Amino acid sequence: MVKVTIYSSGAHYGPLKPAAPLRYDMRDVTNPPRQLRGSMDGRSKKLRDHLMNDKDFIALLETIQNDILQEIERLEKLECGKGKEVNVGVEGDKEAAPTQEIQQGRDEAEQKCSIDAELHDKGNVPPDEEETASEASISGDQCDSDNENGPTIFVNCFCQLGRHRSASMVEALARLKWPAGTDIEVIHRDIDKDRRSSGKQKRVGKSSRMRGDNGFAED
């Protein structure tokens, strides 16, 4: 499982610490009208609907979505690749000593036949080694998609105050369709802060929500 934590923040209150690997400046997107900004923030569907009609907002939304999808794919490949062994120099060794390998193969075959015959005489039938090896190979190459301790992708969308454009972008991203098993977390760092009080929050606590099986509920 890959977890994606998406932050909204305001440049007015300083950068996100530690900095997210995926960072997007929303300040080039046109601010919503004052009448919307005064009574709403990015958690409001009406404000988001207004920004969803802005071509710059939509273009950036698609860019961020594609970047996150690429990062999810990269991390999943890394997770699936763990534990795979790479044999180095095997072919060279075979070419260097073919006679020795053939003789060793004959000795192993004769030894196996002797063991199998002895087991058969005692009534013990050896397992099908070819089938067992195949099953072991499948088990070893299979990626554990239900890993609860999987990697986390950190994303930061920021505007001037972190209340309207960046918060709307984070909410819009959370409502997109993501690959199965992707866990989306939304955190609005500055959405409840009062600009006039040097970053002090008007209400206690940050806005943080996890997307469940049914996604985020509309406002």
Side-chain angles (χ1 to χ4, degrees), residues 28-47:
D28 287 337
V29 176
T30 303
N31 234 337
R34 184 181 296 272
Q35 60 267 28
L36 290 179
R37 299 200 314 270
S39 58
M40 304 174 190
D41 57 40
R43 293 169 293 196
S44 168
K45 184 177 184 299
K46 187 174 182 180
L47 183 68

Side-chain angles (χ1 to χ4, degrees), residues 6-19:
I6 315 175
Y7 288 87
S8 70
S9 62
H12 177 75
Y13 304 108
L16 191 70
K17 294 181 181 180

Side-chain angles (χ1 to χ4, degrees), residues 50-169:
H50 173 84
L51 285 168
M52 289 296 286
N53 290 316
D54 186 301
K55 61 180 180 61
D56 293 331
F57 185 90
I58 293 296
L60 189 53
L61 175 66
E62 293 175 352
T63 296
I64 300 173
Q65 180 187 21
N66 290 332
D67 289 349
I68 295 174
L69 287 173
Q70 290 178 10
E71 187 65 9
I72 290 174
E73 183 179 3
R74 184 185 71 83
L75 290 175
E76 286 180 341
K77 286 181 178 179
L78 287 176
E79 287 294 303
C80 290
K82 287 181 179 179
K84 289 186 177 180
E85 296 181 357
V86 179
N87 295 322
V88 179
V90 174
E91 294 299 326
D93 293 341
K94 288 182 179 180
E95 294 178 0
T99 305
Q100 181 181 357
E101 181 183 358
I102 293 172
Q103 184 60 43
Q104 182 179 358
R106 288 175 178 171
D107 294 341
E108 290 176 353
E110 291 176 359
Q111 184 179 5
K112 179 180 181 302
C113 288
S114 177
I115 294 174
D116 289 351
E118 183 178 351
L119 290 173
H120 187 274
D121 292 341
K122 293 180 180 180
N124 297 324
V125 180
D128 188 343
E129 291 184 357
E130 184 176 353
E131 181 180 354
T132 303
S134 176
E135 292 174 355
S137 176
I138 294 174
S139 176
D141 292 346
Q142 186 175 6
C143 178
D144 184 6
S145 59
D146 296 327
N147 180 19
E148 294 182 356
N149 298 320
T152 300
I153 300 171
F154 293 98
V155 183
N156 178 210
C157 301
F158 63 96
C159 56
Q160 184 59 26
L161 296 178
R163 299 188 66 243
H164 304 107
R165 291 167 291 183
S166 63
S168 295
M169 177 62 74

